[in-house]
Amino acid sequence: MLPYVAEFVGTMLLILLGDGVVANVTLNKSGMKGAGSIQITLAWGLAVMLPAFIFGEASGASFNPALTIALAVNGSFAWSMVPGYIVAQIAGAFVGACLVYILFKEQFDATENPAAKLGVFSTGPSVPNTGLNILSEAIGTFVLIFAILGLAQVPNLDAGLAKLLVFGIIVSIGMSLGGLTGYAINPARDLGPRLAHAVLPIKGKGSSNFAYGLIVPIIGPVLGGLVAVVVYGMIPW
């Protein structure tokens, strides 16, 4: 059970810190309101890195169904564990988002904009265009997974340093491509919190926009991850 518990707790921490920084920066009456996209992008990188250090040995620190599926496709992860990992990741993301709501409830109550409230939990496009939005998520996830696989090509790379470099990968993707769709690049990161937004008693919350959430941040990352492992496997390293 340890790998599944690690994926649950690790994803919960990821969302607690990742969604937490968005709440910290965007909601009214937050002490850091207005800090901006650079703080959000850096904090999301740290949100992925910290649980990766903690749970890397226990579960491989996937925290991402797209990565889990991609690793199963290239044969480095057992297909039998994929369903349990995905359930643990989505459940952990849901719980992490609920914790963010509890901590920031007064700030949510003080914020009138429904889009800002949804933005704490889940991603959305700056310009709605389903095809291009899926492509954006696919390319962002391709970069993520291709870069993670590519770390194996660095001679004598320490495991701890490799996890630190994941921070750089996440920040790079966010700073370069994040303005397009919010760079979910992880179906659990979006779906778990979006489900939390749907069921939590958030004052004036508006729609959870599943018409977008069940398509773009799920299909795009999975496609991008699959292409990444195929392309990586074709290179004669």
Side-chain angles (χ1 to χ4, degrees):
M1 289 297 295
L2 178 58
Y4 302 109
V5 172
E7 287 295 301
F8 172 84
V9 177
T11 311
M12 180 189 70
L13 290 174
L14 187 159
I15 297 300
L16 173 65
L17 298 174
D19 284 6
V21 69
V22 181
N24 223 4
V25 168
T26 62
L27 297 181
N28 291 342
K29 295 190 177 180
S30 169
M32 293 187 180
K33 179 176 171 59
S37 59
I38 292 178
Q39 175 163 326
I40 290 175
T41 307
L42 291 173
W44 264 108
L46 293 169
V48 175
M49 184 190 74
L50 294 179
F53 271 105
I54 299 169
F55 296 110
E57 293 299 319
S59 71
S62 179
F63 314 140
N64 182 342
L67 176 58
T68 300
I69 293 170
L71 294 178
V73 168
N74 80 353
S76 60
F77 187 77
W79 276 107
S80 61
M81 298 184 70
V82 169
Y85 262 48
I86 292 175
V87 169
Q89 291 157 359
I90 294 173
F94 177 89
V95 173
C98 290
L99 292 175
V100 171
Y101 170 68
I102 292 170
L103 291 171
F104 286 90
K105 182 184 182 304
E106 293 186 358
Q107 284 75 19
F108 276 106
D109 290 346
T111 301
E112 296 181 357
N113 186 350
K117 296 179 183 184
L118 177 59
V120 170
F121 293 89
S122 53
T123 62
S126 54
V127 179
N129 181 317
T130 301
L132 285 176
N133 298 156
I134 290 174
L135 181 62
S136 172
E137 286 292 329
I139 290 176
T141 310
F142 174 92
V143 173
L144 170 67
I145 294 179
F146 191 85
I148 289 173
L149 294 173
L151 292 177
Q153 304 305 319
V154 181
N156 304 315
L157 180 63
D158 177 77
L161 179 58
K163 295 179 179 64
L164 180 61
L165 291 175
V166 172
F167 163 78
I169 295 169
I170 298 294
V171 171
S172 177
I173 295 168
M175 288 189 170
S176 297
L177 303 175
L180 297 172
T181 59
Y183 72 115
I185 57 177
N186 179 343
R189 172 267 173 274
D190 189 274
L191 181 58
R194 196 179 295 270
L195 290 170
H197 178 272
V199 302
L200 287 170
I202 304 169
K203 179 181 177 182
K205 64 182 178 181
S207 169
S208 300
N209 195 14
F210 283 104
Y212 176 88
L214 293 177
I215 298 175
V216 173
I218 294 178
I219 294 175
V222 172
L223 287 176
L226 293 176
V227 174
V229 295
V230 170
V231 173
Y232 186 83
M234 293 173 63
I235 299 174
W237 300 102

